[in-house]
Amino acid sequence: MSATTAEEAGRRVEEVLDRLAENGDAEACAAAEEVVRVLMEFYGSGIARVVDLLGRPAARPPADPLGPLLADELVASLLNLHGLHPEDVPTRIDRALAALSQPVENAGFDTETGVLRLRVTGSSGCGCGGTQESVRQAAVDALACYAPEVTGVELETGAAREPALLQISTRPSLAGADGRSSAAL
């Protein structure tokens, strides 16, 4: 990949916008300018985040100097977008799952379909569908930044729980003062 200078990139963007303006489609030209603005804001935010993360004073140097950058959703998404993220897919999946508030474990990732199976490992509240769906959606959101190769998330429903052991014992005698059982009354 050849490096493009800011001047070259700016000139190319201007040429494309000028061609759109020449066609007389004001709506297409306005949309293209909006796309350029949104992308500039996105990349500007990413660069600002990198500068902020690298500029923070550390109590001690991190074991992995890239760690703070790789743990940041915005920076990770930019690295993934351009195929520059240095971590492999399983590591990025683990990083995304570790960021979730609900404990889940990777139950398998199918590289062909992009589907990741997850198993909820902590208490999931009431166990209702809404809770399960919120766990799944949180995983989808985190994975979009860290591991965009994951195109679907399925939660394993786990095996049916064994029923609680119920102790059955003989009922204490309810004999009355006269010695007769109250059931006979």
Side-chain angles (χ1 to χ4, degrees):
M1 172 170 40
S2 65
T4 302
T5 67
E7 185 179 338
E8 291 169 334
R11 190 175 28 244
R12 287 174 50 198
V13 167
E14 285 297 323
E15 289 171 2
V16 170
L17 292 176
D18 287 345
R19 281 198 320 259
L20 283 172
E22 288 172 6
N23 290 338
D25 188 346
E27 194 172 310
C29 192
E33 289 176 359
E34 179 67 17
V35 167
V36 170
R37 268 193 301 279
V38 168
L39 287 174
M40 292 294 291
E41 289 173 11
F42 176 60
Y43 282 99
S45 296
I47 293 169
R49 186 75 58 85
V50 168
V51 170
D52 177 54
L53 291 169
L54 293 177
R56 291 182 183 171
R60 59 187 168 156
D64 177 11
L66 290 178
L69 297 175
L70 301 180
D72 184 86
E73 285 186 4
L74 177 58
V75 176
S77 67
L78 281 167
L79 292 171
N80 283 319
L81 181 64
H82 294 284
L84 299 173
H85 204 294
E87 295 177 331
D88 61 8
V89 175
T91 302
R92 290 185 282 119
I93 288 172
D94 290 344
R95 184 181 293 278
L97 298 180
L100 299 177
S101 59
Q102 176 70 41
V104 295
E105 80 180 18
N106 182 341
F109 175 59
D110 185 335
T111 57
E112 289 184 26
T113 64
V115 174
L116 175 66
R117 287 187 341 276
L118 297 178
R119 185 177 305 115
V120 177
T121 57
S123 70
S124 59
C126 66
C128 59
T131 301
Q132 295 292 317
E133 179 55 26
S134 65
V135 169
R136 193 192 72 74
Q137 189 58 52
V140 166
D141 293 344
L143 289 159
C145 296
Y146 292 109
E149 297 84 352
V150 177
T151 58
V153 175
E154 296 175 356
L155 286 182
E156 287 188 353
T157 56
R161 292 186 178 183
E162 293 283 329
L165 180 61
L166 179 61
Q167 292 287 345
I168 301 176
S169 61
T170 58
R171 185 173 178 181
S173 173
L174 298 176
D178 60 0
R180 294 187 321 171
S181 168
S182 59
L185 297 176

